[in-house]
Amino acid sequence: MSDPLEQARWLTETVGVRPLTLGCIHVSGDDARTWLNGQITNDVSRTSSGDAAYAVAVDLKGRILTDLFALDRGDAFDLLVPRDRLEAMVEHFDRYVVMEDVELEGREITVISAQGPAAATLELDGFSCDRLGRGGFDVIDGDLDAIVARAGRAGGGLVGEEAWELARLRAARPGYGADFDETTYPQEAGLTATAVSFTKGCYLGQEVICMLENRGQVRRRLVQLEGDALPPPGSKLTKDGVALGDVRSGAIDPLDGRAVLHAYVKRAGWEPGTTLDSDVGFVTVRHVVGSEPRPAAP
Amino acid sequence: MISLTPKAADKVKEIREAEGLEGQGLRVRVIGGGCSGFTYDLFFEDETTELDSTFESDGIPLYVDMMSIQYLDGTLIDYVEGLHGAGFKFLNPTAKSTCGCGSSFSA
């Protein structure tokens, strides 16, 4: 396998392929579409067979339970969730099936994910799932070797976790577990543009999400920062001795040897260009996650 | 048991007559969704199953399925009119909280 720097370049400039072990919740029954639309933040009321919608499921207080891709299969949906959220999300969703004609079935699956600007040229029989901010497709029950071969002809290839994580951080894409969890609101994690519809109508937790959006009361935002050294996850970030943030995830970018990291930072420190102090030196806010324009490719 | 206030019953009769559904009962159920997780649903129906709980309130037959009754037992349905609009209001002792518009609740 090539080195992570080359693989990260594929994910940014051509296409990188990686098998992902995920949880899959199959939602079927006559009421599947209307019921699911009342459970997640994005609109699946008018998607068509073959479409995919990125969304989050939130609790009553608007905090994120998981992110997911809802794959429209015409008369049913497959919800792709992080593997470690499968059992909890089946249990959560099942609680809100009363007498509707809805069946839920959870299983672990392997998805072949092709990510990068050239992913569309592979003409894969899959769903459009942009996982790293540069376009991408997920193939269920796909042939890994065949897809990697296609990627190779498009100037890409098989990538590992290290390159995937680097590409995610460079693109300022929030990751479940690393950057957001059950303590986070979608607005804090910068997920509203990609995962939330404000026109779809009611869903579980919608009232809190809308109030938060309309009143603009988010106290912290996930930001992308850069620095000479990498403060580990959990490190505090300060400005003039005042604690303003904490680090969530990061990596050293082998391209320039500098650290690229994600951290939650309070309003007083989240403006791009703001320099904050950490235990290993200064870091500078480069981008507020979820805002435009998106970070350019390195 | 669930019941209607006299005002709600009058409104139900008015709607039922306007829609030409005289003699039909009111199906009251709970469905998943809404800001608080569970949403109320009302519609006219003339068929029941042996698993339904059936009640009568101010001359209106009320039908509730076996799952929904767990969330609705003791509920009083009122009809309210105000500057912000009009509609049926559910006074549900099972509800832990209700969303702003009152159409959904948590349990």
Side-chain angles (χ1 to χ4, degrees):
Chain A
M1 195 184 251
S2 59
D3 69 89
L5 183 59
E6 177 70 356
Q7 294 169 22
R9 188 182 68 77
W10 293 341
L11 289 165
T12 305
E13 298 179 8
T14 59
V15 56
V17 178
R18 186 178 173 220
L20 302 175
T21 302
L22 300 172
C24 178
I25 304 171
H26 187 67
V27 185
S28 60
D30 287 348
D31 299 324
R33 184 177 299 273
T34 51
W35 176 85
L36 180 61
N37 207 44
Q39 304 300 323
I40 61 176
T41 55
N42 219 336
D43 193 350
V44 292
S45 66
R46 293 185 188 86
T47 56
S48 301
S49 182
D51 289 346
Y54 183 62
V56 293
V58 298
D59 64 15
L60 275 175
K61 295 180 178 176
R63 295 197 175 96
I64 300 169
L65 296 171
T66 189
D67 66 342
L68 59 93
F69 279 96
L71 312 183
D72 188 332
R73 293 190 171 277
D75 56 357
F77 283 86
D78 281 331
L79 310 182
L80 301 183
V81 300
R83 168 65 193 89
D84 62 356
R85 296 302 294 154
L86 176 61
E87 285 80 13
M89 291 313 300
V90 170
E91 190 176 329
H92 164 80
F93 286 136
D94 189 52
R95 183 163 181 260
Y96 293 101
V97 178
V98 186
M99 282 295 281
E100 297 91 336
D101 183 6
V102 171
E103 292 285 332
L104 302 171
E105 185 184 354
R107 66 188 171 113
E108 187 177 300
I109 64 167
T110 299
V111 167
I112 311 300
S113 190
Q115 299 293 317
T121 67
L122 305 190
E123 297 183 340
L124 300 171
D125 182 17
F127 292 85
S128 177
C129 298
D130 182 2
R131 293 184 175 275
L132 297 175
R134 314 255 181 234
F137 284 82
D138 280 3
V139 181
I140 314 291
D141 300 325
D143 181 335
L144 177 62
D145 292 338
I147 294 172
V148 170
R150 284 197 205 187
R153 291 192 288 275
L158 186 65
V159 303
E161 185 175 359
E162 190 178 345
W164 184 279
E165 181 67 358
L166 181 58
R168 182 185 75 77
L169 290 160
R170 283 176 173 175
R173 292 284 289 195
Y176 178 80
D179 295 333
F180 61 90
D181 53 28
E182 294 92 331
T183 66
T184 319
Y185 295 107
Q187 283 91 341
E188 293 176 327
L191 287 165
T192 51
T194 52
V196 181
S197 166
F198 288 101
T199 58
K200 62 172 279 188
C202 294
Y203 57 86
L204 179 60
Q206 180 239 8
E207 195 165 37
V208 178
I209 302 293
C210 284
M211 282 169 57
L212 207 55
E213 187 71 10
N214 294 332
R215 295 178 183 175
Q217 290 178 330
V218 174
R219 292 180 179 176
R220 59 177 189 164
R221 290 289 303 264
L222 188 66
V223 300
Q224 180 198 55
L225 305 101
E226 62 179 339
D228 292 332
L230 180 63
S235 299
K236 297 298 175 196
L237 301 178
T238 62
K239 186 180 180 187
D240 301 327
V242 179
L244 288 182
D246 59 289
V247 176
R248 290 305 173 102
S249 58
I252 295 293
D253 192 332
L255 189 64
D256 55 12
R258 287 176 61 74
V260 55
L261 57 143
H262 288 175
Y264 281 103
V265 175
K266 292 180 182 174
R267 188 181 297 270
W270 76 39
E271 280 297 316
T274 305
T275 296
L276 302 170
D277 199 7
S278 77
D279 289 342
V280 297
F282 292 110
V283 290
T284 302
V285 177
R286 200 154 66 179
H287 178 76
V288 178
V289 172
S291 66
E292 295 288 344
R294 295 183 307 163
Chain B
M1 166 150 191
I2 66 170
S3 55
L4 299 163
T5 65
K7 194 171 182 181
D10 287 345
K11 195 66 186 177
V12 169
K13 288 172 188 168
E14 180 188 324
I15 296 169
R16 187 174 64 176
E17 190 177 333
E19 295 189 3
L21 300 173
E22 289 89 343
Q24 293 205 8
L26 189 66
R27 166 76 62 184
V28 186
R29 68 172 187 167
V30 171
I31 57 178
C35 308
S36 296
F38 298 104
T39 305
Y40 301 108
D41 192 24
L42 294 172
F43 56 93
F44 291 109
E45 191 168 57
D46 55 6
E47 290 183 2
T48 61
T49 74
E50 59 187 22
L51 298 176
D52 283 336
S53 297
T54 60
F55 311 100
E56 183 162 322
S57 181
D58 266 270
I60 304 290
L62 299 169
Y63 312 137
V64 187
D65 64 69
M66 60 186 224
M67 294 299 289
S68 297
I69 193 64
Q70 297 175 44
Y71 299 95
L72 292 172
D73 197 21
T75 295
L76 174 66
I77 304 172
D78 194 8
Y79 185 79
V80 295
E81 294 171 295
L83 292 173
H84 296 294
F88 291 100
K89 182 178 181 181
F90 291 75
L91 305 170
N92 182 354
T94 309
K96 285 183 184 167
S97 64
T98 304
C99 73
C101 70
S103 66
S104 72
F105 66 100
S106 66

